[in-house]
Amino acid sequence: MKSSFYRETETKKALLGFIEGASILSMASEVRTFETRFAQWQKRKYAVMVNSGSSANLILFQGLLNAGVLKVGDRVGVSALTWATNVMPIIQLGMIPVAIDCSLATLNVSAGNLSEKIDTLQALFITNVLGFGDDLPRIRALCERKKVLFLEDNCESLGSVIQGTLLGNFSFASTFSFFIGHHLSTIEGGMVCTDDEVLYQELLMARSHGWDRQLPEQAQMELRMNFEVDDFYSKYTFYRLGFNVRPTEIQGFLGNCQLAHLDEMILRRATFFSQFNEVIAKNNHFLPLDLSHMQTVSNFAVPIVCASKELFYFYQKLFTDSGVEIRPIISGDITRQPFFKSLGSNYALPNAGVIHEQGFYFTNRPDLIPEEISVLIQLLSI
């Protein structure tokens, strides 16, 4: 990213005014307002904000354990092409991650990939990679048929649409990130969305020490009656295993500011991606993507998978020498990461391996200017 926020000057001025006038900077009304507005935008019933997208993954799994939906020892399918802290909470909370290969056409887990392992799983935590998804309606149907809990990490695909449905809404619950480099910046921040009231209440407790302070009044009363807790002791009574991963009012305020521009940011990113992908599709040095099933592609970075290692090294040097910052595609094949290797599991993940060894991505900021787009298109045309 070139800047911390979209429309940075006006956002910083607003932030200065908010800090100067705010009487509370710990989690309060700005966070609650952002949660409500984000849930409405995402078309979900409930949203719980936390201090990062990684924490969103953490409390999602803790909340599911606390609710009895999952249990220690359960096997959770994860995308082989994913971020480290999608997998780490599964390990940290005593479950077993099972890596599933991706499709080279979509960079995502397909129903075909999934069908090979679904009979061994209790849950699937899929990563919607860089604005893309595979056949999510089919994956959802497969999970329903096999009674596998379906979850989405949508940190990289806020605003993408398949068959009229926003990514993040195909599953029981989904997570989002508001880190600077993502679609909407609160500097650091994250969200969990769900339509399930029980999970929503478990998320509220898992976010804040396992206590009941943010619960609806009726839920508070029921807990206190069940555990025979009076008003005095309720202030420091802890009902569930939890953490302190609360956001601040500053993050909530920034979320409200940036949410006003989210549709504009998504439109610009989708427009820029379409321009880039048109050039990519014509260059046989790159593996083509199949996005024919997608109505909107909203990403914050454009992935390139080269047709060979030699071409990868060529384009890696070409982009770098031209002053364009590039990165590996997420964590590459997650099973090659040192922390995952320590689990001692062996996997055959040929497609994730190709992406790991032959892929990179470059920026798709909403504030790209024509000159920058021209440079990127020129590089992609070589």
Side-chain angles (χ1 to χ4, degrees):
M1 295 296 289
K2 183 185 291 184
S3 54
S4 297
F5 314 105
Y6 189 59
R7 300 194 178 184
E8 175 147 297
T9 300
E10 68 180 69
T11 301
K12 284 186 172 180
K13 285 181 179 178
L15 179 58
L16 288 171
F18 169 73
I19 292 173
E20 188 174 51
S23 58
I24 297 174
L25 291 176
S26 57
M27 186 180 72
S29 61
E30 286 289 338
V31 170
R32 290 193 296 271
T33 298
F34 182 45
E35 289 173 333
T36 299
R37 293 178 62 201
F38 187 82
Q40 291 171 345
W41 189 94
Q42 183 62 30
K43 299 180 174 62
R44 284 286 212 174
K45 287 185 180 179
Y46 306 108
V48 177
M49 190 182 187
V50 289
N51 59 7
S52 74
S54 296
S55 294
N57 296 336
L58 182 63
I59 70 159
L60 171 58
F61 281 99
Q62 187 66 67
L64 291 166
L65 287 170
N66 289 348
V69 177
L70 292 177
K71 63 183 185 301
V72 171
D74 278 350
R75 292 167 60 85
V76 181
V78 296
S79 304
L81 187 64
T82 189
W83 188 250
T85 50
N86 283 41
V87 180
M88 288 178 177
I90 296 168
I91 301 167
Q92 290 159 335
L93 297 176
M95 292 167 283
I96 301 167
V98 179
I100 302 171
D101 204 5
C102 56
S103 162
L104 287 175
T106 64
L107 307 188
N108 277 275
V109 170
S110 68
N113 300 134
L114 176 60
S115 62
E116 297 173 7
K117 295 184 177 179
I118 195 167
D119 289 329
T120 71
L121 305 178
Q122 283 72 53
L124 172 68
F125 187 34
I126 206 166
T127 300
N128 296 323
V129 172
L130 293 172
F132 312 140
D134 207 282
D135 190 345
L136 289 173
R138 187 177 168 202
I139 289 172
R140 176 174 59 187
L142 182 58
C143 287
E144 289 174 352
R145 188 165 67 251
K146 295 290 186 175
K147 294 182 170 54
V148 170
L149 179 68
F150 183 29
L151 309 165
E152 290 170 271
D153 165 55
N154 205 51
C155 292
E156 300 179 0
S157 298
L158 177 60
S160 288
V161 177
I162 292 177
Q163 292 187 15
T165 298
L166 286 163
L167 272 62
N169 290 358
F170 287 92
S171 56
F172 184 67
S174 51
T175 57
F176 300 82
S177 172
F178 308 130
F179 180 63
I180 287 171
H182 288 211
H183 294 79
L184 181 157
S185 169
T186 63
I187 307 173
E188 291 276 7
M191 195 80 81
V192 187
C193 288
T194 186
D195 296 326
D196 186 84
E197 186 177 10
V198 172
L199 177 59
Y200 169 62
Q201 293 179 8
E202 293 293 347
L203 293 170
L204 292 174
M205 289 189 283
R207 173 178 67 179
S208 298
H209 310 290
W211 64 26
D212 70 1
R213 292 191 194 182
Q214 279 75 49
L215 289 181
E217 185 177 355
Q218 183 63 34
Q220 281 184 342
M221 291 173 58
E222 290 175 4
L223 267 181
R224 294 174 190 183
M225 286 179 62
N226 289 340
F227 289 93
E228 299 180 344
V229 176
D230 66 22
D231 289 343
F232 177 74
Y233 284 102
S234 70
K235 293 177 174 61
Y236 287 159
T237 297
F238 309 99
Y239 300 93
R240 304 285 195 266
L241 294 178
F243 311 93
N244 177 13
V245 291
R246 292 171 300 199
T248 67
E249 283 290 87
I250 293 171
Q251 291 164 292
F253 176 82
L254 288 169
N256 288 314
C257 286
Q258 293 290 288
L259 191 59
H261 307 307
L262 182 56
D263 290 336
E264 180 183 353
M265 289 189 280
I266 288 171
L267 177 61
R268 292 179 67 83
R269 283 183 157 116
T271 301
F272 297 155
F273 174 76
S274 180
Q275 292 179 254
F276 296 138
N277 194 48
E278 185 177 346
V279 180
I280 292 167
K282 294 177 181 177
N283 190 336
N284 62 11
H285 291 172
F286 308 133
L287 300 185
L289 292 169
D290 179 9
L291 306 175
S292 58
H293 59 298
M294 299 198 64
Q295 289 149 315
T296 303
V297 174
S298 171
N299 62 20
F300 55 75
V302 178
I304 296 293
V305 182
C306 297
S308 69
K309 289 184 182 179
E310 291 74 20
L311 286 168
F312 166 73
Y313 294 127
F314 171 80
Y315 281 99
Q316 181 187 42
K317 185 175 188 303
L318 179 67
F319 273 69
T320 302
D321 289 350
S322 300
V324 177
E325 184 179 7
I326 60 173
R327 302 277 180 88
I329 297 180
I330 325 182
S331 299
D333 176 353
I334 199 68
T335 67
R336 300 191 188 190
Q337 293 286 344
F339 85 92
F340 202 105
K341 285 183 178 180
S342 68
L343 301 178
S345 302
N346 294 313
Y347 286 91
L349 302 166
N351 293 339
V354 169
I355 294 166
H356 189 105
E357 295 177 1
Q358 297 169 207
F360 64 89
Y361 63 54
F362 61 86
T363 188
N364 184 16
R365 304 190 319 266
D367 59 353
L368 284 172
I369 59 175
E371 291 79 7
E372 292 169 329
I373 293 171
S374 178
V375 168
L376 291 167
I377 287 176
Q378 184 178 7
L379 293 173
L380 292 169
S381 303
I382 295 175

